[in-house]
Amino acid sequence: MPELKPKQILREISRRLPDVWNQVKRFRADKGKTLPDWPDWCYLPLAAGYAISTQGGSLNANLFDSILSPAVITAAASWRVSQGVYRFDADLYNSLFDQPLDGKIPCNVLKRLPEWCVYIETTKVKFSGKSVIGFWAHMENDMNDGRMELRMVLICAEGDIIPIPIHLGNWTIEDGLSRMLEQSNRQTNIYANPVLPNINFTSEIVPLVQLVLYLCADNIDIPVPPKHPSARIRMSGQVDVPKETRVWTVGERIGSSIRKYRNQNTEQSEPSQTEAHASPRPHIRRAHWHHFWVGPKNNDRKLVLHWLPPIPVRMDEEYEGPSVIHKVKQGE
């Protein structure tokens, strides 16, 4: 079996920067001591990846290297301590891709990734014309201003590695995506060199975010969910590194249910507004997100995210079409 691409990248980083993982350990050991502290949901801030990439210098050719850039080193170091590969059931995958992004989901839900960094395999994904075979996703804490970001590092079949930063805060994920595009446009106007290539926002970015969100959901469909690697932190702040990747099959049960509904061959379009006020005809309600807060208002509250799959409505009822009432005049 060929070696997974993220493992190849780890090996290449090790070959070209032999001391890289020891440097990561030193940054972790100095966290909150000789270095400023950072939140536990971030394994290694990008500032540390920058220092390792440039070897302490301000400018270095590694900044523009696809393998040794700060974004790739930070993602690789964060993934290395768990090496989780998330492989989605095809029907769940397609359902997540096809649904629109809920504009009201708070950014904080992304702090609930099952590991510091996850690697999600993808199929039939194009980004700026490149075939994306998978991507790393992890949380970043900016050491300059404390800003929170979702960092995605896309790995392409052609060899390209593309970092995507999404700005997070006390707003919605949709707002964060808008801020990302605003920043890209601003940089383009200043340097005449876009931070992000010309992309189709809806078809190229949102579906990837949907996959990440699913891994943060409370009702995620994984038979035995992974334990967050933070549970393995030793007194020194270090985490034991697994020797092999761990593949997690995501959505096997819910994917089977989606196929069952499809095989009933009774799916119809959503009812019109006029029909919805009466008895709607049988249909599949589109998959969507549902989120809510639990816990007392005067204490730490927990944000709960649920994914609701395509739901059959009135599928078990006999349906003969809408009733048509004709007014009959007296004497007819």
Side-chain angles (χ1 to χ4, degrees):
M1 180 180 293
E3 188 177 43
L4 289 172
K5 189 64 175 179
K7 288 286 283 188
Q8 293 177 18
I9 294 174
L10 285 186
R11 186 160 42 80
E12 182 64 11
I13 292 173
S14 300
R15 185 185 70 81
R16 296 177 61 186
L17 288 178
D19 195 44
V20 59
W21 310 128
N22 287 328
Q23 293 180 55
V24 170
K25 285 183 179 180
R26 287 195 286 271
F27 274 104
R28 287 285 303 175
D30 292 340
K31 176 181 183 291
K33 298 173 184 175
T34 59
L35 291 176
D37 203 357
W38 60 81
D40 291 339
W41 41 257
C42 172
Y43 178 73
L44 190 75
L46 192 65
Y50 185 97
I52 295 171
S53 174
T54 62
Q55 295 298 287
S58 58
L59 291 175
N60 188 294
N62 290 345
L63 287 174
F64 310 100
D65 189 293
S66 62
I67 296 291
L68 300 183
S69 71
V72 174
I73 286 178
T74 304
S78 302
W79 181 75
R80 178 172 172 266
V81 294
S82 57
Q83 301 187 37
V85 175
Y86 292 80
R87 192 168 289 165
F88 279 74
D89 173 271
D91 286 277
L92 170 60
Y93 182 94
N94 292 331
S95 294
L96 289 165
F97 259 55
D98 292 341
Q99 74 180 68
L101 181 66
D102 187 326
K104 298 180 181 179
I105 300 177
C107 292
N108 279 340
V109 75
L110 292 166
K111 294 179 181 178
R112 305 186 61 199
L113 280 170
E115 298 170 326
W116 274 309
C117 182
V118 297
Y119 179 75
I120 301 175
E121 293 185 337
T122 55
T123 58
K124 298 181 292 185
V125 172
K126 292 282 187 178
F127 186 86
S128 191
K130 306 289 185 180
S131 298
V132 179
I133 59 174
F135 66 98
W136 278 317
H138 67 98
M139 294 293 286
E140 153 70 353
N141 179 73
D142 192 304
M143 297 300 287
N144 294 317
D145 56 16
R147 184 176 65 192
M148 181 172 65
E149 295 179 358
L150 171 67
R151 285 260 166 180
M152 298 192 296
V153 178
L154 313 189
I155 299 175
C156 303
E158 296 87 348
D160 299 77
I161 302 178
I162 306 172
I164 305 292
I166 300 177
H167 300 172
L168 308 178
N170 294 321
W171 48 77
T172 67
I173 292 174
E174 187 177 52
D175 292 335
L177 291 166
S178 298
R179 288 166 185 257
M180 174 194 71
L181 292 180
E182 289 172 7
Q183 179 67 17
S184 177
N185 293 334
R186 191 177 303 118
Q187 295 296 321
T188 299
N189 293 333
I190 294 173
Y191 301 109
N193 183 24
V195 174
L196 296 176
N198 293 328
I199 59 173
N200 184 310
F201 178 78
T202 301
S203 66
E204 297 186 15
I205 295 289
V206 169
L208 303 181
V209 174
Q210 301 277 30
L211 296 177
V212 176
L213 279 173
Y214 186 81
L215 297 186
C216 299
D218 286 69
N219 62 338
I220 182 174
D221 180 16
I222 296 181
V224 182
K227 293 183 179 179
H228 198 282
S230 60
R232 296 186 279 111
I233 295 179
R234 290 180 276 151
M235 293 294 292
S236 62
Q238 307 308 319
V239 185
D240 293 330
V241 176
K243 293 181 179 179
E244 302 294 338
T245 57
R246 175 72 184 271
V247 177
W248 302 96
T249 301
V250 183
E252 201 170 56
R253 180 186 59 82
I254 196 65
S256 176
S257 297
I258 294 172
R259 286 186 288 279
K260 175 184 175 182
Y261 300 146
R262 181 183 296 115
N263 292 338
Q264 289 176 352
N265 204 26
T266 52
E267 181 175 352
Q268 300 183 36
S269 61
E270 292 275 1
S272 66
Q273 289 185 346
T274 54
E275 289 174 339
H277 291 296
S279 295
R281 58 183 176 175
H283 64 279
I284 297 289
R285 184 175 298 156
R286 188 167 53 186
H288 59 285
W289 296 106
H290 178 55
H291 70 276
F292 52 92
W293 294 90
V294 297
K297 292 184 178 180
N298 59 351
N299 204 338
D300 290 337
R301 307 188 74 199
K302 178 185 176 184
L303 176 61
V304 176
L305 179 69
H306 280 181
W307 185 74
L308 301 182
I311 301 172
V313 177
R314 296 194 67 200
M315 288 299 192
D316 296 331
E317 302 177 23
E318 184 175 352
Y319 180 72
E320 298 178 350
S323 300
V324 179
I325 301 176
H326 296 280
K327 186 176 180 179
V328 181
K329 295 182 180 179
Q330 189 173 0
E332 289 188 34

